[in-house]
Amino acid sequence: MKKELVVRALENGTVIDHIPADKLFQIVNILHLDTMTDQITIGNNLDSSKLGKKGVIKISGRYIDPQEFNKIALIAPHARINIIKDYQVVEKKICEMPDEVYDVLHCVNPMCITNKQNVTTHFHVVNKEDRTVKCHYCERYIKAEDFILK
Amino acid sequence: MKSLVSISDCSKEYILRILDLAEKFEQNPNNKLLDGKLVATLFFEPSTRTRLSFETAVNRLGGRVIGFSDAATSSSSKGETLKDTIKMVSNYVDLIIMRHPVEGAARLASEVASVPVINAGDGANQHPTQTMLDLYSIKKTQGKLEDLTLSMVGDLKYGRTVHSLLMAMRFFNPKFNFVAPKELRMPEQYIDYCRKHKISFREIEDMNDILKETDILYMTRVQQERFTDLVEYEKVKNTYTLHNAMLDGSKDNLKILHPLPRVNEISEDVDDNPKAYYFEQARNGVYARQAVICDILGLI
Ligand SMILES: [Zn+2]
């Protein structure tokens, strides 16, 4: 019954569901929800048969841009994003690790050219399961738990 | 635009083609294939050995060289970005050979240059022509690259040459022994790489355990500054030194390689042993680089 409250109808906006509970606040940061003035509903540690505990974010009057989508896909690869217009779900997206990641992550290697000069970061995803990426420039492998978002 | 940035970009066919070409250059190192060509050697950090090897390769082929040998004399000391330097130099030359202390610098250069770029070392990352000369030395001394036992000894953590050689050998069904003190063991990234590519390997701390089965003994420097614990360094520093007597009972075809400069990890009494190959290995660098240069410029 509490679940009902969280997913209550939204006129226009975005619903992000199936967020792993420990990733919820990272996504809040990615979307800069702390500075938003429109209505936001955030639920966390909700029971989920798939994830154990999950988080849900409902944002009124705001849609997410491709760069934000890419960031969410890196952090919460199985999250579901529903775009709501006029109380209807007009688009459903399931986040997926992309093959290439541009301008979203920092390289963890302090000696990498992307940390020394003004170069757009670029990573190749080498393993979608454990979300390991390889820096296109310094060739360092970076595991998901070490990701530093831009 | 074709460039040579990383051994991870090199196919088996490419590697074999370069090694075949290197053999031709060894038979005939002086020809005029680079006649009329201008090559830039941009060394943003000094490396006399590598620079001389490349410049010898170019000069013996009749090409000309411009460039600088350390960052203090380059425009980067005035704050010019690498992109700008590379774009400027691209206007002047047919090929850029670049050494840079920052990892990934060569990849970036290859993306902005209008001429091919050869990576002559980018920090701890890659130095693909060193790998080509290592492979050439292995093939020349063993008659093949397949099914060999390679033992890598010393600093396997920071040793860029061992990482690249490991990756290049993935095509040739090698067996590796990684012999290193705990602090300098092969990084997880390369252990994972071996598992992923089904490369057989063992991690060992005592060199004596593997000398009898080894075909190629690849020695590297164990440097004091790599250790956080100096007591640990004192404990292991002599363990990773090769002495001539240790080679008793080793295979006849064993060859000892070392990327040079050697400090004390190979005792001088090994130098006269016919299994010592490190000085010839350095000479092979010129042939391997001639092969890479002529291939990249489409001259062969
Ligand atoms: Zn990097």
Side-chain angles (χ1 to χ4, degrees):
Chain A
M1 58 214 161
K2 290 220 169 106
K3 194 175 169 191
E4 209 173 282
L5 177 74
V6 176
V7 294
R8 217 177 66 191
L10 188 66
E11 186 179 351
N12 291 299
T14 307
V15 178
I16 308 169
D17 199 353
H18 292 270
I19 303 168
D22 59 340
K23 300 293 188 300
L24 180 106
F25 287 98
Q26 255 180 297
I27 293 178
V28 168
N29 288 333
I30 290 169
L31 298 175
H32 302 291
L33 297 185
D34 52 337
T35 58
M36 268 197 63
T37 50
D38 278 325
Q39 193 174 316
I40 309 165
T41 313
I42 296 174
N44 205 15
N45 300 323
L46 308 169
D47 290 328
S48 158
S49 52
K50 263 193 190 164
L51 298 167
K53 298 281 181 191
K54 69 167 186 177
V56 178
I57 300 173
K58 266 183 26 173
I59 315 158
S60 183
R62 183 183 186 298
Y63 303 102
I64 62 168
D65 64 35
Q67 193 66 347
E68 290 169 334
F69 181 80
N70 289 339
K71 288 184 182 179
I72 295 169
L74 279 180
I75 296 301
H78 302 294
R80 292 180 194 173
I81 298 180
N82 287 344
I83 309 298
I84 315 284
K85 284 185 181 162
D86 204 12
Y87 297 104
Q88 302 293 316
V89 176
V90 293
E91 199 181 345
K92 285 184 176 200
K93 296 184 188 180
I94 294 179
C95 290
E96 239 184 79
M97 275 297 270
D99 295 321
E100 306 291 325
V101 179
Y102 293 94
D103 206 18
V104 169
L105 289 175
H106 283 292
C107 185
V108 297
N109 176 5
M111 281 305 291
C112 178
I113 188 84
T114 61
N115 290 317
K116 297 277 185 185
Q117 298 199 0
N118 185 20
V119 181
T120 304
T121 64
H122 175 189
F123 296 87
H124 309 287
V125 175
V126 291
N127 187 330
K128 289 195 181 188
E129 287 305 303
D130 70 7
R131 294 186 291 143
T132 304
V133 301
K134 177 187 173 189
C135 177
H136 173 69
Y137 291 99
C138 74
E139 307 189 21
R140 181 76 67 94
Y141 284 68
I142 304 172
K143 294 191 166 162
E145 60 263 32
D146 299 322
F147 284 172
I148 308 167
L149 287 170
K150 278 195 150 183
Chain B
M1 180 54 54
K2 205 164 126 182
S3 287
L4 178 59
V5 171
S6 167
I7 210 72
S8 60
D9 303 331
C10 296
S11 67
K12 184 177 180 179
E13 292 66 33
Y14 174 78
I15 291 171
L16 294 176
R17 184 169 79 241
I18 295 299
L19 300 187
D20 283 348
L21 283 175
E23 201 181 329
K24 295 202 174 84
F25 282 114
E26 177 162 13
Q27 287 153 8
N28 179 19
N30 300 301
N31 64 52
K32 295 289 164 229
L33 277 170
L34 286 184
D35 193 23
K37 300 284 184 201
L38 188 56
V39 174
T41 51
L42 309 184
F43 276 59
F44 292 88
E45 69 175 0
S47 171
T48 308
R49 192 175 305 273
T50 301
R51 191 169 54 83
L52 290 181
S53 177
F54 270 111
E55 293 186 357
T56 302
V58 173
N59 278 291
R60 283 196 180 280
L61 293 169
R64 292 177 182 232
V65 178
I66 60 164
F68 49 81
S69 54
D70 67 79
T73 56
S74 79
S75 46
S76 67
S77 63
K78 294 187 185 128
E80 188 177 51
T81 65
L82 177 63
K83 277 184 189 171
D84 286 2
T85 305
I86 295 297
K87 281 184 183 163
M88 185 257 306
V89 175
S90 285
N91 292 327
Y92 302 153
V93 298
D94 301 293
L95 171 69
I96 292 172
I97 295 166
M98 187 180 93
R99 172 89 158 207
H100 201 286
V102 175
E103 293 159 33
R107 179 75 64 193
L108 179 67
S110 75
E111 289 173 345
V112 297
S114 57
V115 296
V117 173
I118 297 176
N119 182 6
D122 60 329
N125 184 33
Q126 284 278 329
H127 188 8
T129 60
Q130 172 73 43
T131 311
M132 289 299 173
L133 81 89
D134 289 343
L135 292 169
Y136 184 65
S137 300
I138 294 170
K139 188 167 178 236
K140 196 171 142 187
T141 60
Q142 307 297 319
K144 62 172 186 176
L145 289 167
E146 290 79 11
D147 310 319
L148 296 170
T149 299
L150 287 87
S151 299
M152 298 172 157
V153 179
D155 179 357
L156 305 187
K157 183 173 179 184
Y158 299 99
R160 159 181 77 187
T161 56
V162 297
H163 303 154
S164 297
L165 182 57
L166 182 163
M167 289 163 77
M169 285 301 293
R170 73 186 181 279
F171 300 119
F172 307 107
N173 189 38
K175 216 179 108 191
F176 281 110
N177 293 309
F178 301 142
V179 188
K182 276 198 187 68
E183 283 213 37
L184 299 178
R185 42 177 301 242
M186 188 61 84
E188 205 53 40
Q189 173 172 340
Y190 295 99
I191 297 290
D192 286 347
Y193 188 90
C194 287
R195 291 203 180 101
K196 191 177 154 205
H197 290 90
K198 306 206 167 28
I199 297 171
S200 133
F201 69 93
R202 281 197 298 164
E203 292 189 272
I204 310 159
E205 285 184 55
D206 188 348
M207 173 162 42
N208 290 294
D209 292 349
I210 49 83
L211 285 174
K212 285 193 171 57
E213 62 172 78
T214 298
D215 299 307
I216 291 290
L217 184 62
Y218 200 102
M219 301 292 298
T220 63
R221 274 193 304 289
V222 174
Q223 292 163 287
Q224 187 180 331
E225 57 266 31
R226 300 296 194 196
F227 282 81
T228 46
D229 181 357
L230 286 183
V231 177
E232 190 62 25
Y233 171 73
E234 289 301 323
K235 255 198 303 193
V236 305
K237 68 174 181 190
N238 295 320
T239 320
Y240 297 91
T241 299
L242 182 68
H243 298 280
N244 198 33
M246 293 162 71
L247 294 168
D248 290 349
S250 61
K251 292 170 88 168
D252 290 341
N253 63 308
L254 169 72
K255 287 286 182 278
I256 303 152
L257 304 189
H258 189 298
L260 301 182
R262 166 255 312 252
V263 185
N264 58 1
E265 56 282 355
I266 302 177
S267 134
E268 283 190 20
D269 66 5
V270 180
D271 294 359
D272 293 331
N273 190 317
K275 293 174 181 175
Y277 194 71
Y278 25 95
F279 295 115
E280 289 94 326
Q281 180 190 1
R283 191 180 60 217
N284 290 337
V286 174
Y287 313 133
R289 289 178 175 121
Q290 288 180 318
V292 167
I293 290 167
C294 289
D295 176 81
I296 225 166
L297 289 173
L299 299 173
I300 296 184

